[in-house]
Amino acid sequence: MERTFSIVKPDAVKAGNTGAILSRIEKAGFRIVALRMRHLTRAEAEGFYHVHAARPFFGDLCTFMSSGPCVTMVLERDNAIAHLRDIMGATNPANAAAGTIRKDFAASIEANAIHGSDAPETAKFEIGYFFAGLETR
């Protein structure tokens, strides 16, 4: 079993798509280990996305992620990281495959409905950032 981290982003929560996204995740064989709705502060968003601090989109990303409630979660299944990325779809929903979360629920590359860890090291940091103690498994 592998664990990964995901966020249903503020655009998807605002649009009322949280339940549909969670349903897809569960139907894809994930077990939800932890789940919490929260409204990130600007400082929390900056800390979470610190690896992008030098990139031109960093400020807009942090503003967006702190613009409204989001749902953070820890998910578990075999090959969780790769499988979640598959069902999420490409970052740009215009390039996402049919039937993926981003193709069906994202509005743009910026407002793209969902975040998922991209590697085991990233998952460990991201899980620990919001759910301390769960990153060790």
Side-chain angles (χ1 to χ4, degrees):
M1 285 292 177
E2 181 178 62
R3 287 188 176 174
T4 192
F5 176 79
S6 186
I7 301 175
V8 177
K9 293 183 177 182
D11 59 307
V13 172
K14 184 177 181 180
N17 294 323
T18 304
I21 291 170
L22 292 175
S23 178
R24 286 206 189 175
I25 289 168
E26 286 189 312
K27 285 178 182 171
F30 287 91
R31 184 173 77 85
I32 298 173
V33 175
L35 178 87
R36 181 174 172 205
M37 181 173 270
R38 60 181 82 220
H39 192 140
L40 301 182
T41 66
R42 175 70 184 222
E44 286 172 325
E46 288 174 353
F48 182 75
Y49 287 107
H50 74 279
V51 297
H52 300 301
R55 298 204 173 166
F57 61 81
F58 179 72
D60 288 342
L61 175 62
C62 292
T63 297
F64 167 66
M65 289 302 295
S66 59
S67 69
C70 64
V71 176
T72 56
M73 63 192 114
V74 178
L75 305 170
E76 184 176 77
R77 66 161 279 161
D78 291 333
N79 298 318
I81 294 167
H83 195 69
L84 181 63
R85 296 195 66 78
D86 285 344
I87 69 167
M88 286 185 345
T91 302
N92 183 344
N95 301 331
T100 61
I101 292 169
R102 287 181 173 148
K103 188 65 160 185
D104 294 343
F105 299 109
S108 68
I109 194 168
E110 292 85 15
N112 64 9
I114 191 168
H115 164 87
S117 302
D118 62 3
E121 302 77 28
T122 310
K124 184 175 181 178
F125 166 77
E126 293 176 346
I127 292 167
Y129 193 82
F130 289 112
F131 297 98
L134 292 181
E135 73 279 9
T136 57
R137 179 157 185 252

